[in-house]
Amino acid sequence: MDQQIDPCPAIGVQQLLALPQHEIFELWKSLPAPGMGELDGEYASYLPILHISKDEIRNAATQFYRDDSARGYWLGKAYKANGDSSGEGYNIFRKLGEDGDGYRYTRKGRFATDIGESFVDDRPSLMMRYSAFNKQVAGITDLVDEVRRYAKGLYLATATAPSPDNGTRAMPDSCFLLVGPVNPWIGPDDTEAGQP
């Protein structure tokens, strides 16, 4: 990757969104893990879609960006440290209100966090382990997101899940961005469901 990304989140996000996914993923591999507790509060998410096919864009829109889907429109993630070595978080979604007018926001899709060895390259990452909250659909598949810091307030993340065939993990080739915090930690909607 020849271009320098500005560490200012407002500029860096725009620059990163203009890059092909494979370049963003290569950048992710070069970055350090954030410190435990560095991500604190709610963060906006961005999914780069330039340089991918119309079918891939349609699939991303269907999976992440539909107010009328079962989960809703994915807005981001939240983080809170529970000490020096572990923490927790959740995903934030927007859905149309029941009367069809206005929006409501849900905070679900919980995960536990720690600094661990990456499934991708064995280097440290902030690991987001959905299986810790086993009532979540993502936990059933043992989805693990991995976050690395580009600059304070601007983070790149990727995800792995088990391969159905041989017990290894499917390797990613793409990333999403996290920027913030945009809100303080509010907490998941149901703090009892899926306790580790």
Side-chain angles (χ1 to χ4, degrees):
M1 191 171 84
D2 298 332
Q3 103 185 60
Q4 178 68 27
I5 306 300
D6 197 296
C8 170
I11 305 299
V13 167
Q14 295 175 60
Q15 292 175 304
L16 286 165
L17 290 174
L19 296 177
Q21 274 283 8
H22 71 274
E23 289 187 26
I24 300 170
F25 184 61
E26 288 303 313
L27 177 60
W28 176 89
K29 290 195 283 188
S30 74
L31 299 175
M36 195 67 218
E38 179 178 331
L39 279 85
D40 183 28
E42 296 187 344
Y43 288 72
S45 62
Y46 298 89
L47 187 62
I49 61 167
L50 287 181
H51 313 286
I52 65 175
S53 72
K54 288 181 181 179
D55 285 342
E56 290 170 313
I57 291 171
R58 202 170 301 117
N59 289 340
T62 299
Q63 185 174 359
F64 295 106
Y65 301 119
R66 286 186 42 223
D67 291 312
D68 61 347
S69 70
R71 288 184 302 187
Y73 187 108
W74 181 52
L75 296 173
K77 296 181 181 286
Y79 301 86
K80 176 180 84 166
N82 292 332
D84 293 338
S85 61
S86 67
E88 63 181 286
Y90 53 84
N91 284 271
I92 307 149
F93 298 94
R94 179 186 76 198
K95 292 187 67 106
L96 284 172
E98 290 186 18
D99 59 2
D101 188 28
Y103 293 106
R104 61 185 177 88
Y105 298 88
T106 59
R107 290 167 170 85
K108 57 187 180 180
R110 297 176 71 192
F111 50 84
T113 60
D114 64 87
I115 303 298
E117 186 177 283
S118 169
F119 288 114
V120 177
D121 61 9
D122 300 325
R123 295 178 53 241
S125 289
L126 176 67
M127 308 295 281
M128 300 165 45
R129 302 179 194 274
Y130 289 86
S131 62
F133 295 91
N134 57 23
K135 292 190 178 181
Q136 303 299 332
V137 172
I140 294 169
T141 63
D142 194 22
L143 176 68
V144 176
D145 291 340
E146 301 187 21
V147 180
R148 291 190 175 159
R149 179 198 326 111
Y150 184 82
K152 188 158 177 62
L154 177 54
Y155 304 88
L156 303 181
T158 195
T160 67
S163 295
D165 302 331
N166 56 14
T168 63
R169 297 189 78 82
M171 287 296 104
D173 60 1
S174 62
C175 291
F176 59 92
L177 314 179
L178 295 166
V179 180
V182 295
N183 282 317
W185 171 271
I186 293 172
D189 292 337
D190 184 354
T191 58
E192 296 304 315
Q195 288 293 338

